[in-house]
Amino acid sequence: MRFSCGPGGKTERVAEPGVEAFEKLVALLNYPMFVVTTRAGGIAAGCLVGFASQASIHPPRFLVGLSTRNHTFRVAAGATHLAVHVFDRKHLDVVELFGSQTGDKINKFDRCSWHSGPEQMPILDDAAAWFVGTILDRFALGDHVGHLLAPVAGRPPHELESWVSFCDVRHLEPGHEA
Ligand SMILES: Cc1cc2nc3c(=O)[nH]c(=O)nc-3n(C[C@H](O)[C@H](O)[C@H](O)COP(=O)(O)O)c2cc1C
């Protein structure tokens, strides 16, 4: 971030050229979206996550970035596992619930169908596919914390043609600011 002198002598923030290019590039990417849930101390939590990706093949590893502002992040701090769900667009309502509401104000699990799955993780019944991973490591990424997962259980998709991606949810106002 740079600062420059704006009208009336006011100091203005100006994005570095590299940052501006980066922001324009990532705004165009249509990456997959996930709903990540967890449970600790009897409290279930979950939110919509775009910052997530497979990170290794052998051994299988997956990285989930959770915003430090989110209720889910705070519950995950005391958890041993996360559950990562992929949704078909026909269940966009559940995806929107987890991205636009916060567990600080409502119980999202009262508003959707779920069951307790492997390692007591809350599994969302409308998901097209999911896996549960052990949290092997946590590390700071910036305003998000990376959670490195090793898969321990899951349900693979039968078919997944119209999975929810960034373009389907970019209009949402997040329950917590990023
Ligand atoms: C398009 C989009 C992408 C998001 N990506 C992430 C993400 O990668 N990580 C994250 O922690 N929150 C992400 N969020 C924000 C949370 O899903 C949102 O603030 C949620 O309401 C937080 O719920 P919680 O406070 O119950 O955890 C995203 C939201 C949207 C709309």
Side-chain angles (χ1 to χ4, degrees), residues 31 33-34 36 45-52 64-74 95-106 108 143-145 165-178:
Y31 44 85
M33 298 298 302
F34 305 90
V36 175
C47 68
L48 178 62
V49 166
F51 296 166
V64 172
L66 291 178
S67 165
T68 55
R69 297 195 178 202
N70 289 355
H71 176 252
T72 306
F73 167 74
R74 275 174 264 124
V95 175
E96 289 179 350
L97 168 69
F98 278 85
S100 63
Q101 302 290 332
T102 173
D104 286 331
K105 294 191 180 151
I106 66 153
K108 299 179 208 183
D143 53 13
H144 285 60
V145 170
S165 59
F166 179 59
C167 281
D168 301 310
V169 290
R170 65 188 308 162
H171 63 281
L172 288 183
E173 193 165 322
H176 268 295
E177 271 183 45

